[in-house]
């Protein structure tokens, strides 16, 4: 897992709070994996593509993409 990495929303929020949210998700995922007897987690290519498309649809509904900024 890569906290506050490329593509994360860390530039749009307090990085510490954002990292805490991400770490909580990761901890929950690891706990659930262990409970189910799994040793690894990996996203399928199709799932990552769909997630990226979904995120792009959401951001396109905001003013962020219209700003002349290094963030976009």
């Amino acid at each position: 897992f890569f906290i506050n990495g490329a593509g994360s929303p860390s530039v749009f929020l307090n990085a510490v709070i954002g990292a805490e949210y991400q770490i909580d998700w990761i901890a929950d995922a690891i706990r659930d994996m262990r409970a189910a007897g799994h040793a690894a987690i990996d996203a399928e290519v199709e799932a990552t593509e769909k997630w990226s498309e979904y995120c792009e649809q959401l951001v396109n509904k905001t003013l962020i993409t219209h700003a002349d900024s290094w963030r976009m």
Side-chain angles (χ1 to χ4, degrees):
F1 297 99
F2 193 55
I3 307 298
N4 289 339
S8 82
S10 60
V11 297
F12 299 113
L13 51 86
N14 180 296
V16 174
I17 294 171
E20 184 177 352
Y21 175 79
Q22 293 175 67
I23 291 166
D24 286 346
W25 185 93
I26 292 166
D28 290 345
I30 291 171
R31 183 196 66 234
D32 294 347
M33 287 172 30
R34 286 182 177 162
H38 300 297
I41 185 171
D42 194 13
E44 295 178 356
V45 173
E46 183 180 351
T48 60
E49 290 170 353
K50 285 183 178 181
W51 178 251
S52 294
E53 290 170 9
Y54 174 71
C55 290
E56 187 172 345
Q57 290 171 1
L58 291 179
V59 78
N60 286 335
K61 294 178 181 180
T62 71
L63 296 175
I64 294 170
T65 59
H66 300 285
D68 183 19
S69 171
W70 62 269
R71 295 179 178 179
M72 293 306 291

